[in-house]
Amino acid sequence: MIDISDALSIVDDSVQTTNDVVRIKLSKACNYVLSGDIYSEINMPPFRQSAMDGYAVHMHDKNTYSYIGELKAGDASHFDLNPGQAVRIFTGAAVPDSADAVVIQERVVREDEKIIVDSPISPQMNIRPLGEQVKAGELALKKGSLMNPAAIGFLASLGIHEVDVYRQPKLCLLITGNELVEAGSILSHGQIYESNGLMLRSALRKSGFETIEIIRVNDDYRETREALRNALSGNDFLLVSGGISVGDYDFVGKALIELGVEELFYKVKQKPGKPLFFGRTSSAYVFALPGNPASALSCFYIYVLKALHMFKGNHRFTLNRVMAKSKSHFKKHGDRPQFLKAFYNNGQVEILDGQNSSMLHTFGVANALVFISAEQIQTDINDEVEVILLPNT
């Protein structure tokens, strides 16, 4: 059994970014990662641009200017201003080359064909220079940049419509358990509805991972081994739910080793999620998660999500951690560190009821995990605690 920090370090050291690069439309690039640097082919802005609604002026030594026209955003009109002349201009419009400044409309009094400026004017005031954001030939976005909505908008403003990105991982969820039946079926005595598959697929999709296959197997060694063999051959990541413990019908660990999966770690000193397995083949990574739903989801957030982001080139991914005042009293039993389902808001965090590893109902309202270290015995109201903020909650 290894410590949490050692397990995370092994994940960091083991998962490599894919070598596979695809070119996709910019409109489809959200959540992908750039596989190379992108240089701008244009200046942005491509002209001197007004930052405000007001008047573009050619400065002189008086506070009155002759009004000679108007420029809206997108106008192709050109004005050659003499000293003492001004044009009405709107945000985003091209500033005439002969204009020294833009005076905001709140500082101007209009009288027929004349304007009066009631405050001092400084050169280049309220003018966005040519190439202020990026100049032609300069680096726009670096390799490894995550294509979030802002990055997509920025590249679109440069006229870019396709990008080269690392492909997303292919994923398989393998769900084990004789007792599991699909929702909509009638439960027999001793059966429960299967939830981990839908839960994990939903968590994956909400984090931007879409290529997901789900396989369900009974607690039979040969069936489990063959299902694992097939899943390993066509996927980059295999996530197994259940069957990784040491019971008589937990066949996953034995089958993985027989199939040549290299064990990188098995069992982590933590609660929930102790029986976590991480391994690899020459072409795939394997996380065998505990069967208990809260354990599986906790391990997904702490370990699996990081590995998936690393595979697609996003090595900067991390779950945000903050310190917060506890609104709850909690006493820990045992010496393992714990991840506790919690709700964080405005610098305070409430440790929720129902911390058992089989319980999902409080995870449904949680937006965070409170981390209790091995050394901590309890936390009291108003104690400072470490909070891991969950993504997309």
Side-chain angles (χ1 to χ4, degrees):
M1 187 160 55
I2 66 172
D3 291 335
I4 294 169
S5 59
D6 293 333
L8 288 171
S9 293
I10 290 172
V11 173
D12 281 344
D13 295 340
S14 302
V15 179
Q16 302 296 315
T17 299
T18 179
N19 293 319
D20 296 336
V21 173
V22 293
R23 171 160 287 197
I24 61 175
K25 292 183 178 179
L26 186 63
S27 60
K28 305 291 186 182
C30 194
N31 290 318
Y32 283 83
V33 175
L34 291 180
S35 61
D37 295 337
I38 292 185
Y39 292 86
S40 179
E41 295 184 0
I42 65 170
N43 295 305
M44 177 48 63
F47 46 80
R48 297 169 72 234
Q49 189 179 53
S50 178
M52 305 290 285
D53 292 341
Y55 292 83
V57 301
H58 189 149
M59 294 169 60
H60 66 157
D61 58 1
K62 299 179 182 178
N63 67 343
T64 60
Y65 290 83
S66 300
Y67 169 77
I68 65 168
E70 179 180 277
L71 283 170
K72 302 185 298 296
D75 281 353
S77 305
H78 294 275
F79 287 91
D80 188 11
L81 303 179
N82 295 318
Q85 290 184 324
V87 293
R88 180 81 165 105
I89 197 165
F90 295 90
T91 302
V95 176
D97 292 339
S98 52
D100 305 303
V102 171
V103 183
I104 62 173
Q105 60 191 17
E106 291 84 357
R107 297 300 183 186
V108 171
V109 176
R110 175 87 177 269
E111 294 181 353
D112 297 325
E113 302 306 311
K114 180 177 70 173
I115 65 169
I116 302 169
V117 180
D118 68 3
S119 63
I121 304 173
S122 58
Q124 306 309 312
M125 182 170 66
N126 298 318
I127 296 176
R128 298 169 182 155
L130 176 77
E132 180 184 36
Q133 286 193 65
V134 63
K135 292 181 172 58
E138 286 186 344
L139 180 66
L141 281 181
K142 294 191 297 185
K143 174 183 177 179
S145 295
L146 179 66
M147 295 302 295
N148 57 30
I152 289 173
F154 175 52
L155 294 185
S157 75
L158 302 179
I160 293 169
H161 62 95
E162 289 183 332
V163 287
D164 290 330
V165 296
Y166 296 111
R167 70 168 176 83
Q168 297 275 27
K170 297 176 183 177
L171 297 145
C172 180
L173 301 177
L174 191 145
I175 313 299
T176 70
N178 287 345
E179 76 279 15
L180 303 176
V181 297
E182 291 190 27
S185 305
I186 297 175
L187 287 179
S188 299
H189 182 68
Q191 292 182 327
I192 60 172
Y193 289 119
E194 197 283 308
S195 60
N196 284 5
L198 187 58
M199 174 186 72
L200 292 170
R201 183 170 62 180
S202 298
L204 287 163
R205 286 180 169 171
K206 198 159 189 181
S207 297
F209 300 98
E210 293 286 346
T211 309
I212 306 163
E213 177 186 12
I214 295 182
I215 301 173
R216 293 180 174 86
V217 296
N218 293 316
D219 292 324
D220 175 84
Y221 180 69
R222 290 186 178 181
E223 184 181 342
T224 300
R225 185 185 60 190
E226 288 308 302
L228 289 169
R229 186 197 305 276
N230 293 334
L232 287 168
S233 66
N235 292 283
D236 304 300
F237 281 84
L238 170 59
L239 310 184
V240 184
S241 170
I244 193 58
S245 195
V246 292
D248 291 347
Y249 295 93
D250 291 323
F251 299 125
V252 170
K254 179 182 176 183
L256 288 173
I257 299 305
E258 185 174 315
L259 292 170
V261 176
E262 178 189 0
E263 179 185 313
L264 297 173
F265 65 75
Y266 174 51
K267 293 186 178 178
V268 182
K269 189 178 181 181
Q270 65 183 27
K271 185 178 179 179
K274 173 184 171 183
L276 173 66
F277 173 98
F278 175 52
R280 66 185 172 190
T281 67
S282 60
S283 60
Y285 300 97
V286 180
F287 283 96
L289 307 172
N292 280 322
S295 297
L297 193 56
S298 295
C299 289
F300 171 83
Y301 284 128
I302 301 301
Y303 300 97
V304 179
L305 195 54
K306 180 179 181 64
L308 294 173
H309 276 277
M310 291 173 64
F311 178 89
K312 70 173 186 177
N314 183 19
H315 290 264
R316 292 181 292 178
F317 173 82
T318 184
L319 295 177
N320 291 325
R321 294 178 181 242
V322 299
M323 299 301 293
K325 284 189 175 182
S326 177
K327 297 172 64 177
S328 312
H329 170 82
F330 180 82
K331 186 172 183 179
K332 188 181 71 176
H333 299 286
D335 63 349
R336 282 184 284 164
Q338 288 193 237
F339 297 102
L340 303 173
K341 293 164 278 189
F343 187 83
Y344 171 83
N345 183 47
N346 196 28
Q348 295 185 313
V349 64
E350 178 186 0
I351 298 171
L352 302 172
D353 293 331
Q355 292 296 331
N356 190 291
S357 62
S358 64
M359 295 181 178
L360 270 182
H361 66 290
T362 46
F363 229 141
V365 297
N367 64 0
L369 297 172
V370 167
F371 179 70
I372 303 295
S373 69
E375 295 75 24
Q376 289 176 273
I377 298 174
Q378 67 181 41
T379 180
D380 293 312
I381 295 173
N382 290 327
D383 281 355
E384 289 281 317
V385 295
E386 183 178 0
V387 179
I388 303 169
L389 303 179
L390 299 179
N392 304 314
T393 54

